[in-house]
């Protein structure tokens, strides 16, 4: 078992090192951080979405903004599209491809931002959500694990973090990226929380 444990940790380390060595991805993360700062500065809201584990990451991202990340501070406007009533209603009546886009159509406003996660880069409901957000005049941040010309064309900032053969490594990199984005936002609006060099 230790052999598999060590191999798994080494593989995760290699994925992280590959991200560190990818200047395009690092630049995109910086751009996404600035975009989120601009949205919150204008009192806009951020909506996040994803499927399966990516939905869990989208929920984690939103609650860290409305709740707290490292230290106490004022809440920031973020919502994960995860309401079971909405998802099952729209999935049943309109199809699963529209579960996120319908929410954006109803709640999103110009100046808001959609942060959407797709490890494969091919999730049809993520593509529809990005299209709906673009139509609403929202900015769009995409986190993907494989390059997608379709999603890249719909995004304001496109972050691709190839993590390896399987989606779990991509998700591990995505949560790293999400934590960095939250930290960049906090450092901008609440610098006192980082004044001691944390």
């Amino acid at each position: 078992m230790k052999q598999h444990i060590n191999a798994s940790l080494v593989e995760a380390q290699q994925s992280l090192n590959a991200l560190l060595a990818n200047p395009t991805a690092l630049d995109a993360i910086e751009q996404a951080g600035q975009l989120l700062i601009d949205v919150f500065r204008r009192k806009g809201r951020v909506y996040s979405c994803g499927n399966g584990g990516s939905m869990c990451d989208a929920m984690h991202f939103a609650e860290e903004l409305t709740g707290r990340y490292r230290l106490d501070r004022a809440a920031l406007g973020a919502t994960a599209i995860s309401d079971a009533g909405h998802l099952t209603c729209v999935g049943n009546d309109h199809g699963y491809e529209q579960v996120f886009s319908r929410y954006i159509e109803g709640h999103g406003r110009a100046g808001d931002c959609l942060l959407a996660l797709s490890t494969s880069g091919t999730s049809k409901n993520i593509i529809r959500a990005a299209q709906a957000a673009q139509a609403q005049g929202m900015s769009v941040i995409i986190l993907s694990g494989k390059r997608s010309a379709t999603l890249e064309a719909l995004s304001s900032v496109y972050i691709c973090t190839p993590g390896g053969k399987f989606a779990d490594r991509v998700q591990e990199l995505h949560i790293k990226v999400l934590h960095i984005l939250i930290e960049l936002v906090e450092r901008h609006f609440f610098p006192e929380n980082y004044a001691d060099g944390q």
Side-chain angles (χ1 to χ4, degrees):
M1 289 181 71
K2 283 186 179 177
Q3 175 186 351
H4 296 299
I5 292 168
N6 289 337
S8 182
L9 290 172
V10 167
E11 187 180 70
Q13 184 180 48
Q14 290 170 343
S15 297
L16 186 57
N17 287 340
L19 178 59
L20 272 167
N22 185 335
T24 300
L26 298 182
D27 286 346
I29 295 168
E30 182 180 17
Q31 292 166 19
Q34 186 60 58
L35 191 157
L36 291 171
I37 288 167
D38 293 342
V39 168
F40 287 129
R41 185 188 291 124
R42 296 190 306 264
K43 304 300 182 186
R45 296 186 59 81
V46 176
Y47 298 92
S48 54
C49 64
N51 295 288
S54 293
M55 172 178 275
C56 297
D57 289 344
M59 293 168 68
H60 179 65
F61 174 74
E63 55 87 2
E64 295 278 44
L65 289 167
T66 56
R68 60 172 282 173
Y69 177 53
R70 290 183 172 173
L71 296 170
D72 289 335
R73 40 83 177 156
L76 295 164
T79 301
I81 307 174
S82 57
D83 177 80
H86 167 83
L87 295 173
T88 55
C89 169
V90 174
N92 186 63
D93 295 344
H94 299 282
Y96 191 65
E97 291 180 14
Q98 298 190 52
V99 292
F100 302 134
S101 59
R102 292 284 293 188
Y103 194 95
I104 291 298
E105 289 170 14
H107 295 274
R109 300 291 180 267
D112 290 344
C113 177
L114 171 69
L115 186 149
L117 298 94
S118 173
T119 59
S120 68
T122 61
S123 306
K124 293 179 181 178
N125 55 8
I126 297 298
I127 293 169
R128 293 286 290 265
Q131 290 169 335
Q134 197 176 67
Q136 297 283 84
M138 298 169 59
S139 52
V140 178
I141 298 170
I142 296 292
L143 267 71
S144 179
K146 295 180 181 176
R147 296 218 73 85
S148 164
T150 301
L151 281 175
E152 192 163 5
L154 292 167
S155 66
S156 310
V157 179
Y158 184 78
I159 304 169
C160 185
T161 61
K165 192 174 175 182
F166 298 107
D168 55 319
R169 294 290 171 242
V170 176
Q171 289 171 331
E172 289 167 8
L173 293 179
H174 282 180
I175 200 66
K176 296 286 188 201
V177 172
L178 293 175
H179 281 160
I180 290 168
L181 294 177
I182 296 164
E183 181 181 343
L184 292 174
V185 169
E186 281 197 347
R187 284 183 177 276
H188 178 84
F189 290 106
F190 310 100
E192 64 277 7
N193 282 1
Y194 296 88
D196 61 358
Q198 293 179 340

